[in-house]
Amino acid sequence: MICDRFDTIVVPFPFSDIPVLKRRPAIVLSTRRFNQDNAATLVGMITTAKASVWPSDYVIKDLLAAGLNHPCIVRWRLATIPNSLIVRQLGRLAPIDRLSCERLLAEMVAD
């Protein structure tokens, strides 16, 4: 499956601290062109954690557009997942959430 930037998807997300993959929602951060050309997609974790653990956690505002049923946050734990592991698409971040995520991501990698 080839996805667009800011699509929400379900993937078996890798954990650095435990040797297991758990299916969970994720946000697509790479472009469709990157995803197609590389047969892989850069994703960020979406979690239902109640409280922000990381200062950079972002609370998703429009859950309906994102295809999420419960309050969720974007946690900036990133992974590159082979496209073949994408289970399904849930939705797409609403414009307000896209802008906020773009801003946060830019702040993390800019000097």
Side-chain angles (χ1 to χ4, degrees):
M1 175 182 296
I2 306 296
C3 297
D4 292 308
R5 190 165 190 221
F6 300 118
D7 283 349
T8 54
I9 58 176
V10 175
V11 297
F13 209 92
F15 291 87
S16 58
D17 50 347
I18 51 175
V20 68
L21 298 175
K22 180 180 177 184
R23 282 187 180 186
R24 68 177 329 118
I27 175 179
V28 175
L29 298 171
S30 49
T31 64
R32 175 176 275 277
R33 173 101 186 225
F34 175 94
N35 302 340
Q36 189 165 0
D37 290 352
N38 294 285
T41 299
L42 177 64
V43 299
M45 178 190 287
I46 294 177
T47 180
T48 58
K50 302 283 187 248
S52 292
V53 175
W54 294 10
S56 58
D57 284 349
Y58 173 73
V59 177
I60 297 172
K61 310 266 187 283
D62 190 338
L63 297 171
L64 184 62
L68 301 166
N69 297 324
H70 306 286
C72 290
I73 59 174
V74 174
R75 176 148 300 149
W76 297 101
R77 181 173 275 188
L78 308 180
T80 304
I81 304 288
N83 293 338
S84 61
L85 293 182
I86 297 171
V87 176
R88 70 180 188 280
Q89 183 179 350
L90 295 171
R92 184 168 174 75
L93 289 187
I96 189 158
D97 291 318
R98 280 183 256 168
L99 287 172
S100 295
C101 285
E102 274 186 320
R103 182 182 51 78
L104 285 167
L105 189 57
E107 287 173 4
M108 283 184 271
V109 297
D111 212 3

